[in-house]
Amino acid sequence: MPELKLRIPDMSCSHCEKRIRDAVANAESAVKSLDLESKLVVIETELEKSKILEIIDEAGYDAEII
C-alpha cells in the first residue's frame, strides 16, 4: 500500500494521536507511524493525497505533505 508522510504541527498529545488514528482508520487507511515529538505521521492509504488532507482537517488539524 502506498505511503504518505505528513507533518501535523498542532499534534501534541495522546488525545491528538487518537483523533488522527481514528480519522485515518475510518477512511480505510492506516497510520504506520506517528511521532508526537517530531509531529510526523506516515499513513498507508490508497486514497488521493487531497482526501487524506481533508480527513485530517475534518479531525481538527492542519497537515502538510512532506
Side-chain angles (χ1 to χ4, degrees):
M1 188 176 291
E3 292 182 357
L4 181 61
K5 191 177 217 182
L6 303 174
R7 180 178 314 281
I8 304 177
D10 296 337
M11 180 176 68
S12 61
C13 65
S14 60
H15 179 260
C16 298
E17 179 178 354
K18 180 172 179 3
R19 286 189 66 170
I20 290 166
R21 286 186 184 276
D22 289 349
V24 170
N26 287 338
E28 298 181 17
S29 299
V31 172
K32 183 175 180 183
S33 66
L34 186 148
D35 182 33
L36 289 172
E37 187 174 320
S38 65
K39 315 289 189 193
L40 297 178
V41 179
V42 178
I43 297 172
E44 293 181 325
T45 185
E46 295 288 343
L47 299 175
E48 296 291 325
K49 294 175 183 178
S50 61
K51 183 62 178 169
I52 290 294
L53 291 175
E54 181 182 316
I55 289 163
I56 299 296
D57 182 63
E58 288 173 359
Y61 301 91
D62 291 324
E64 61 184 75
I65 298 170
I66 55 173

